[in-house]
């Protein structure tokens, strides 16, 4: 344990900045994936285990589209929408059939999708790991913030994450469509009785959740290795974020994701040896103290 | 639930019939062997997921060797046949597949191309069923060096981490002296291979250059996607240099992330696994001036035999060989030449023939005159070419190649093994 | 109970006698493996199918059993039966400790917490290198000293004897499990599964029952793990990783959670499928995934359940979903 180093870091502004930004980077990507997961669970009652595979598709779509057209910003949006569309197809063809099945069967179906999508990715894109490389606009020396260096691309990710969180919050709490979605989470029968097409809401929510996961993959693509099965690297942590934050709570997912990010970045300074299991210990602690998660009760 | 093509009763009948058929076909005893039956090799590896490249490229290397022998009429007048199955990285699956190869498919030899984790478990199958197993991917020294787990049925054509670390440590010591690199860090995956490689590298580094200080060690988990906290820690602590045993996709991800922070400008990077075409081709632009060990390069060894091997492989598969390809290729060479020398497929005879077997191979280093040897005492590969150097952005990707004579490597290895109590 | 015992004896008899008529090393091997995995799945179904407790961390006890028997035999050279017994006890102890903390939660949170604890066990196993061999596991083989039992010496070192040994222990365990679920204790478990609040209102200590069955399930999982360790002559951290916990869940889902036969059927089918698919292709995931999708969409319940027309989980699961999502309850009870 290197607790002295940890305390030193708290005392230094540049170190604090470095570690907090590092936490936010991981946190934002996790948040994007986890928020989609939480939304889908909150409204549809489905624990979409295949969410990691959607993240993977976001990265692969970006890889393919970039070879056709160079503008990263445009590609990012297109790829995410692509994943959203794919998600809707998945939902309409397969997932809607198991809404009334036991939870475990839903999980099994989603797990089966991971298997299929991972192998399809291997067939379509090959088994070698791929790399996208930083978009041209970000190939510049890191920005200096409070005495610490932060790569501009990471600042971009953090901004996107925060903006998405704000848009989601606004959308769900202030707009009519958002209210419909929240109402459906409470009681789909009521909403249906009011004359609203519940199936459309379900499809829309699944599209939104998939879009978010895809966006996570798109943003992570340039800085991580792309390979079939890369969803596994985010899915468990996303689940933990969702559980810690409280199932169905977007705000909780945001807090949970940041917490995990902070724990990793400060954890490495103070406890370089034990970090992999920390997330699980964190989840255990949260569940024992607050059995419904931090913001859990019902949805956002 | 109403119609959806197949209704429930029909589905169940189909399932029942299908299962019965599957089971029958599965358990039916295989046809008895005929005189000119092929020599069958059971190849177990990982063909899916993150390390699918391990199995895919390894199989290609083995198959190339098999095809070359078959084109010349096979071995002892019999063709070579490789059957391959995917363990998906699960230890019990690897064990089951290896067992089934021997007990059900009645293979003559096993080629264990699993990662080091599964290799230990498959070793037990080899020991239990007394079948010769050529280990072609596990680089963990313990596999052949630890007398407590050794078995005469195991042979290894894969490289060994102690050899690699010896060359690495001595090379780094030289550079450290030249450039005043006194404060060192490490970042390696948190599992046995990562730990062993790092510890041994530092041992050899400090042996040759006692002024070197190790000021920090980082252990991200294997397949960690995000190295940001590790990179920022090194930026804060400012070591002169750092070592890494990260491999495959991890190396690529780490380098891309480190480049964003300009880490390599601050600290010199010594990475054992950059110089493999899988990594080199995956990087958008290979950064210059990184120190790396060779995994597979067409110019290590810089011999006609090796360059020709690279060309033949590329012609057949449309891509360059990987570290795994040359290891399986060499493994097949050892096995086939061993069978030829023993003039038989009987295990005891082949073991005797392979002990100390010295053959010409593309991987053979210059000071072994282009040969590799299956060492008598522990059945592991020595004499393969190992080099360190600096990266450049285009072919051949690594320059300023540094070789350490095998005499020295073997001496250091012996000393190390004696210290560990594994050699008397 | 007599009927169960009778069936058990007949099963043991068939399994032990048939190799005299048709001997295939491969079949023996395969059956041994299926029996062990079936035991693992059955132990989990005591929780999932009979008590309505979904545990995602069952591998923890399997792993503890495996490592315990391995360490005792490798390092301390204890007797085989003694090591096996101690391994089961240790697995049960682990289950009681973890269960104590997890029982306080409901449903999905219970599941996640069991998984969290299993990961903690995994971390301990991976980090405690001097004792467990760290992430390489217990390598070098696990010795199987001959057993002295009632004056006889039994050597389970060869595959056939080990197979007999496994048959006796596993079928014996199945008999015990069946007796448990058919007993009054078992009846209470089922009422807890169907409606734990009402069970509580009747005056029964629900949490105590849950903890007891959790421990029993852990003990049997530990036995399965110990047998597996002996079978492959090693114990590895994989045994405690969360992906291992998922395996018996799949077996239960495919085979059916309404009975003890279900998980056995599931274990046999999944393993047969896996072995078959890997023989012919590297695209195991694609094929297995497709098979699972077709299975889930057409059948929607386990195979054994189908034959036995059991719909027990329908009521239970819709309660489950409502409770987890919170929101309005209409007539159905709420927990916690």
């Amino acid at each position: 344990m290197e607790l002295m180093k940890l305390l030193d870091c708290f005392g230094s502004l540049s170190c604090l900045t470095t570690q907090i930004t590092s936490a936010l980077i991981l946190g934002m990507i996790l948040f994007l994936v986890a928020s989609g997961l939480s939304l889908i669970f909150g409204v549809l009652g489905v624990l979409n285990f295949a969410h990691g595979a959607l993240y993977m598709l976001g990265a692969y779509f970006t890889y393919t589209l970039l070879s056709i057209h160079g503008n990263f910003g445009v590609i990012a949006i297109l790829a995410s929408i692509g994943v959203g569309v794919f998600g809707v197809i998945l939902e309409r063809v397969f997932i809607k059939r198991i809404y009334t099945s036991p939870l475990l069967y839903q999980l099994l179906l989603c797990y089966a999708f991971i298997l299929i999508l991972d192998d399809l990715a291997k067939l379509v894109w090959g088994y070698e790991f791929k790399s996208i490389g930083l978009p041209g606009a970000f190939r510049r020396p890191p920005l200096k913030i409070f005495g610490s260096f932060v790569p501009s691309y990471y600042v971009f990710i953090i901004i996107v994450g925060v903006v998405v969180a704000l848009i989601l919050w606004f959308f769900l709490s202030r707009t009519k469509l958002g209210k419909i979605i929240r109402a459906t989470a409470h009681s789909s029968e009521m909403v249906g009785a009011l004359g609203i097409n519940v199936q459309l809401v379900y499809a829309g929510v699944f599209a939104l959740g998939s879009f978010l996961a895809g966006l996570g993959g798109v943003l992570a693509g340039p800085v991580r290795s792309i390979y079939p099965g890369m969803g596994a690297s985010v899915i468990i942590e996303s689940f933990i974020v969702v559980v810690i934050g409280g199932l169905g709570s977007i705000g909780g997912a945001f807090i949970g994701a940041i917490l995990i990010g902070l724990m990793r970045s400060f954890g490495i300074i103070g406890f370089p040896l034990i970090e992999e299991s920390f997330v699980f210990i964190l989840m255990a602690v949260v569940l024992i103290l607050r059995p419904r998660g931090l913001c859990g009760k019902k949805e956002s | 639930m109403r119609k959806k093509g197949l209704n429930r009763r029909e589905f169940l009948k189909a399932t029942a019939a299908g299962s019965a058929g599957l089971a029958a076909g599965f358990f039916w005893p295989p046809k008895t062997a005929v005189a000119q039956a092929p020599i069958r090799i059971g190849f177990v590896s990982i063909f899916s997921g993150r390390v699918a490249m391990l199995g895919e490229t390894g199989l290609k290397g083995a198959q190339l060797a098999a095809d070359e022998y078959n084109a010349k009429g096979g071995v002892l007048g019999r063709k070579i046949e490789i059957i391959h199955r995917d363990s998906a990285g699960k230890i019990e699956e690897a064990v089951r597949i290896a067992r089934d190869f021997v007990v059900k498919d009645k293979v003559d030899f096993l080629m264990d191309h699993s990662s080091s984790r599964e290799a230990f478990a498959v070793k037990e199958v080899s020991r239990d069923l007394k079948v010769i197993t050529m280990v072609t991917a596990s680089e963990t020294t313990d596999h052949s060096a630890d007398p407590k787990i050794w078995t005469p049925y195991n042979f290894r054509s894969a490289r060994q981490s102690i050899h690699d670390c010896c060359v690495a440590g001595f090379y780094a010591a030289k550079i450290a002296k030249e450039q005043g690199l006194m404060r060192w860090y490490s970042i390696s995956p948190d599992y046995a291979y990562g730990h062993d490689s790092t510890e041994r590298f530092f041992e050899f580094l400090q042996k040759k250059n006692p002024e070197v200080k190790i000021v920090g060690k980082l252990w991200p988990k294997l397949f960690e996607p995000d190295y940001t906290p590790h990179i920022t820690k090194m930026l804060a602590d400012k070591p002169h240099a750092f070592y890494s045993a990260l491999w495959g996709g991890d190396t690529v991800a780490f380098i891309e992330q480190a480049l964003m922070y300009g880490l390599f400008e601050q600290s010199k990077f010594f990475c054992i696994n950059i110089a493999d075409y899988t990594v080199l081709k995956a990087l958008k632009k290979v950064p210059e001036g990184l120190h790396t060990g060779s995994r597979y390069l067409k110019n290590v060894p810089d011999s006609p035999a090796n360059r020709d091997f690279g060309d033949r492989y590329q012609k057949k598969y449309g891509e360059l060989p990987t570290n795994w390809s040359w290891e399986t290729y060499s493994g097949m060479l050892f096995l086939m030449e061993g069978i030829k020398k023993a003039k038989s497929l009987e295990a005891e005879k082949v073991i005797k023939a392979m002990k100390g077997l010295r053959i010409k191979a593309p991987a053979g280093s210059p000071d072994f005159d282009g040969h590799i040897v299956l060492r008598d005492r522990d059945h592991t590969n020595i004499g393969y070419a190992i080099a360190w150097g600096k990266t450049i952005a285009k072919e051949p990707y690594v320059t300023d190649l540094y070789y350490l004579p095998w005499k020295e490597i073997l001496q250091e290895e012996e000393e190390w093994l004696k210290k560990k109590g594994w050699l008397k | 109970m007599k009927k169960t015992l009778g069936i058990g004896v007949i099963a043991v008899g068939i399994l032990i006698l048939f190799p005299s008529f048709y001997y295939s090393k491969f079949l023996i091997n395969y059956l041994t493996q299926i029996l062990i995995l079936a035991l693992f799945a059955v132990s989990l179904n005591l929780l999932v199918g009979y008590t309505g407790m979904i545990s995602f961390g069952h591998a923890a006890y399997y792993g503890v059993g495996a490592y315990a028997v391995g360490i005792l035999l490798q390092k301390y050279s204890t007797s085989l039966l003694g090591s096996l017994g101690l391994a089961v006890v240790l697995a049960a102890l682990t289950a009681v400790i973890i269960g104590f903390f997890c029982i306080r939660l409901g449903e999905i949170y219970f599941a996640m917490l069991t998984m969290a604890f299993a990961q903690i066990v995994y971390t301990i196993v991976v980090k405690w290198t001097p004792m467990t061999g760290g992430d390489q596991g217990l390598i070098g083989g696990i010795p199987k000293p001959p057993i002295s039992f009632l004056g006889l010496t039994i050597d389970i070192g060869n595959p056939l004897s080990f197979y007999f040994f496994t048959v006796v222990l596993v079928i014996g365990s199945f008999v015990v499990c069946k007796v448990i679920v058919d007993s009054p204790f078992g009846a209470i478990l089922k009422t807890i599964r169907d409606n734990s609040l009402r069970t509580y209102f009747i005056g029964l200590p629900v949490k105590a029952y849950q903890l007891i069955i959790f421990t029993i399930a852990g003990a049997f999982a530990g036995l399965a793990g110990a047998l597996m360790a002996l079978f492959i002559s090693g114990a590895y951290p994989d045994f405690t990783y969360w992906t291992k916990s998922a395996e018996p869940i799949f077996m239960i889902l495919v085979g059916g959670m309404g009975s003890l036969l279900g998980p056995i059927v599931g274990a046999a089918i999944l393993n047969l499928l896996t072995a078959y698919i890997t023989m012919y292709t590297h695209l195991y995931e694609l094929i297995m995934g497709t098979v699972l999708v077709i299975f889930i969409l057409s059948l929607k319940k386990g195979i054994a359940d189908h034959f036995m027309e059991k719909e027990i989980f329908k009521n239970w699961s819709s309660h489950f979903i409502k409770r987890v999502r919170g929101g309005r309850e209409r007539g159905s009870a709420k927990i916690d």
Side-chain angles (χ1 to χ4, degrees), chain A residues 53-111:
Chain A
L54 294 171
Y55 160 88
M56 171 184 78
L57 284 180
Y60 269 117
F61 284 173
T62 310
Y63 173 82
T64 302
L65 288 174
L66 270 180
S67 54
I68 303 176
H69 179 49
N71 186 323
F72 183 74
V74 169
I75 302 290
I77 302 191
L78 279 180
S80 310
I81 293 181
V83 178
V85 168
F86 185 84
V88 174
I89 297 176
L90 216 58
E91 191 262 340
R92 284 287 99 194
V93 177
F94 299 104
I95 303 198
K96 73 166 185 199
R97 299 181 202 272
I98 50 152
Y99 282 151
T100 50
S101 293
L103 184 81
L104 279 182
Y105 281 98
Q106 294 175 353
L107 279 179
L108 189 64
L109 186 70
C110 293
Y111 177 74

Side-chain angles (χ1 to χ4, degrees), chain B residues 19 22-23 26-27, chain C residues 30 34 267-277:
Chain B
S19 314
L22 266 183
F26 198 58
F27 292 121
Chain C
Y30 184 70
I34 299 251
I269 291 190
L270 278 181
N271 272 276
L272 197 62
L273 262 180
T274 304
Y276 222 99
I277 297 175

Side-chain angles (χ1 to χ4, degrees), chain B residues 275-295:
Chain B
D276 198 46
Y277 293 113
T278 50
V279 172
L280 295 168
K281 297 287 188 204
L283 287 168
K284 274 291 165 255
K285 180 167 170 300
V286 178
E288 308 221 329
L290 305 178
H291 299 279
T292 175
S294 64
R295 295 288 285 174

Side-chain angles (χ1 to χ4, degrees), chain A residues 259-278:
Chain A
L259 256 182
I260 291 194
L262 284 172
M263 203 181 61
R264 276 194 81 234
S265 57
F266 286 103
I268 294 208
I269 300 191
F271 310 92
L273 285 182
I274 332 180
E275 64 75 40
E276 197 200 337
S277 60
F278 266 21

